[in-house]
């Protein structure tokens, strides 16, 4: 029994006949080629590979050779018509310098607090205790200013201001004699007035420093600026007042300590403004200049003379 004929399409001959002759399967009618002979039962048609209408739709599209290298990462062949790549194959956005790079992990949505743009960003932390604050201002000023930036220090500043007022009245020669030789009520009133006056003065000096820092581009909070400014101003001058209790104001030791503590106050106050308000050294010194001049003219020079 003969098997089925899979590839028996009729081929035209000079006589016009093929397998089966005239009228047979796959034959032709008369001379010539029968275009429908391959569609009759028992015959097969050969179909071209690919889409036969692709060249008609896009006559300018060129197929890549069989061994063409794959496209580079992030590149999509749009066929020259500006088509967008399929969903999920869009190239990543370009970052700094137009380079195709991804941002570092965890830094794509980070905003760094930089107001002045010159000093390093602060490292905030829990509010320091009294001992940490008072000792840290002299031992580790940068770290303590960073920790205190977002916290208020009203109670330490108020306590130090009141004590400094009492010490200032007792340390200055003229007021010391008046307080010691007066009655208890008068002495108590004088001490309270001096403590209150120096507290208000410290708050005013700190407010002026804060306002100047904001005018120069700083963005630090006012509560920590005023409190730290008062602490720095009074703590740095305390050693001179303690020497005034036992030595004359015009002695060389008191004079040297007075000028040294004023220079220390200038450094600490400038460093505080720089860290709290994130300003360069020049602008921080400009913001602290008014308070430094006021401390020198109103307090230092009268008592030193």
């Amino acid at each position: 029994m003969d098997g089925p004929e899979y590839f028996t399409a009729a081929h035209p001959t000079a006589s016009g006949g093929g397998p089966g002759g005239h009228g047979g399967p796959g034959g032709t009618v008369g001379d010539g080629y029968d275009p429908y002979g391959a569609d009759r039962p028992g015959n097969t048609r050969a179909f071209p590979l690919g889409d036969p209408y692709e060249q008609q739709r896009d006559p300018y599209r060129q197929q890549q050779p069989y061994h063409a290298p794959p496209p580079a990462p992030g590149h999509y062949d749009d066929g020259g018509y500006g088509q967008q790549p399929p969903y999920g194959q869009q190239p990543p956005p370009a970052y700094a310098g137009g380079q195709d790079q991804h941002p570092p992990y965890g830094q794509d949505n980070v905003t760094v607090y930089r107001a002045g743009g010159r000093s390093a960003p602060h490292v905030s932390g829990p509010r320091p205790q009294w001992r940490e604050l008072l000792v840290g201002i002299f031992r580790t000023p940068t770290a303590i200013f960073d920790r205190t930036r977002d916290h208020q220090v009203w109670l330490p500043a108020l306590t130090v201001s009141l004590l400094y007022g009492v010490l200032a009245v007792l340390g200055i020669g003229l007021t010391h004699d008046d307080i010691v030789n007066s009655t208890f009520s008068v002495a108590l009133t004088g001490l309270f007035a001096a403590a209150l006056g120096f507290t208000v003065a410290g708050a005013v000096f700190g407010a002026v420093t804060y306002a100047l820092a904001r005018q120069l581009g700083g963005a630090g909070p006012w509560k920590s600026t005023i409190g730290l400014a008062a602490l720095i101003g009074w703590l740095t001058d305390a050693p001179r007042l303690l020497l005034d209790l036992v030595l004359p104001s015009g002695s060389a030791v008191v004079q040297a300590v007075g000028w040294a503590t004023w220079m220390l106050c200038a450094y600490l106050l400038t460093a505080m403004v720089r860290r709290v308000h994130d300003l360069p050294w020049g602008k921080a010194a400009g913001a602290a200049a008014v308070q430094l001049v006021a401390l020198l003219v109103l307090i230092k020079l009268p008592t030193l003379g």
Side-chain angles (χ1 to χ4, degrees), residues 193-204:
L196 184 60
F198 278 98
T199 301
V200 174
V204 172

Side-chain angles (χ1 to χ4, degrees), residues 12-74:
T13 60
S15 62
H22 294 283
T28 58
V29 180
D31 295 336
Y33 172 68
D34 185 3
Y36 301 102
D39 295 334
R40 292 174 181 172
N43 299 298
T44 59
R45 175 184 291 275
F47 294 94
L49 295 176
D51 188 359
Y53 301 102
E54 181 179 3
Q55 190 68 19
Q56 299 179 7
R57 290 195 305 267
D58 191 0
Y60 298 101
R61 185 180 180 89
Q62 297 180 0
Q63 298 182 357
Q64 296 182 355
Y66 181 74
H67 296 288

Side-chain angles (χ1 to χ4, degrees), residues 18 96 101 118 141-142 149 226 244 251 270:
Q101 297 178 355
R118 296 275 184 95
T142 300
R149 180 186 182 277
I226 297 177
D244 273 339
S251 64
T270 304

Side-chain angles (χ1 to χ4, degrees), residues 15-261:
S15 62
H22 294 283
T28 58
V29 180
D31 295 336
Y33 172 68
D34 185 3
Y36 301 102
D39 295 334
R40 292 174 181 172
N43 299 298
T44 59
R45 175 184 291 275
F47 294 94
L49 295 176
D51 188 359
Y53 301 102
E54 181 179 3
Q55 190 68 19
Q56 299 179 7
R57 290 195 305 267
D58 191 0
Y60 298 101
R61 185 180 180 89
Q62 297 180 0
Q63 298 182 357
Q64 296 182 355
Y66 181 74
H67 296 288
H75 175 74
Y76 177 76
D77 183 14
D78 58 357
Y81 287 93
Q83 299 177 0
Q84 297 295 329
Y87 178 77
Q89 299 183 10
Q90 291 85 353
Y95 286 87
Q99 299 177 355
D100 188 8
Q101 297 178 355
H102 292 280
Y105 177 76
Q107 297 184 8
D108 51 348
N109 293 318
V110 176
T111 301
V112 181
Y113 171 79
R114 300 300 298 276
R118 296 275 184 95
S119 61
H122 71 279
V123 181
S124 182
R127 183 171 59 182
Q129 301 297 326
W130 279 51
R131 184 177 180 276
E132 291 181 281
L133 177 63
L134 300 180
V135 176
I137 288 178
F138 299 97
R139 294 186 61 182
T140 56
T142 300
I144 207 67
F145 295 151
D146 286 342
R147 286 184 57 185
T148 317
R149 180 186 182 277
D150 299 324
H151 305 287
Q152 53 85 18
V153 289
W154 295 125
L155 189 57
L158 178 62
T159 304
V160 171
S161 298
L162 294 174
L163 293 177
Y164 178 85
V166 174
L167 187 61
V169 171
L170 296 177
I172 300 175
L174 296 177
T175 56
H176 176 269
D177 296 337
D178 293 338
I179 294 298
V180 171
N181 298 328
S182 62
T183 61
F184 178 77
S185 59
V186 174
L188 185 61
T189 303
L191 292 176
F192 177 77
L196 184 60
F198 278 98
T199 301
V200 174
V204 172
F205 293 161
V208 172
T209 301
Y210 166 77
L212 290 177
R214 293 301 296 263
Q215 290 293 326
L216 294 175
W222 63 276
K223 55 185 179 181
S224 58
T225 303
I226 297 177
L228 288 174
L231 283 174
I232 294 171
W234 304 144
L235 286 176
T236 53
D237 195 43
R240 180 187 65 86
L241 293 179
L242 292 176
L243 290 176
D244 273 339
L245 294 176
V246 295
L247 295 175
S249 299
S251 64
V253 176
V254 176
Q255 295 281 341
V257 172
W259 286 108
T261 54

Side-chain angles (χ1 to χ4, degrees), residues 1-10 18-20 24-27 38 40-45:
M1 180 178 179
D2 297 333
E5 296 179 355
Y6 289 99
F7 301 94
T8 59
R40 292 174 181 172
N43 299 298
T44 59
R45 175 184 291 275

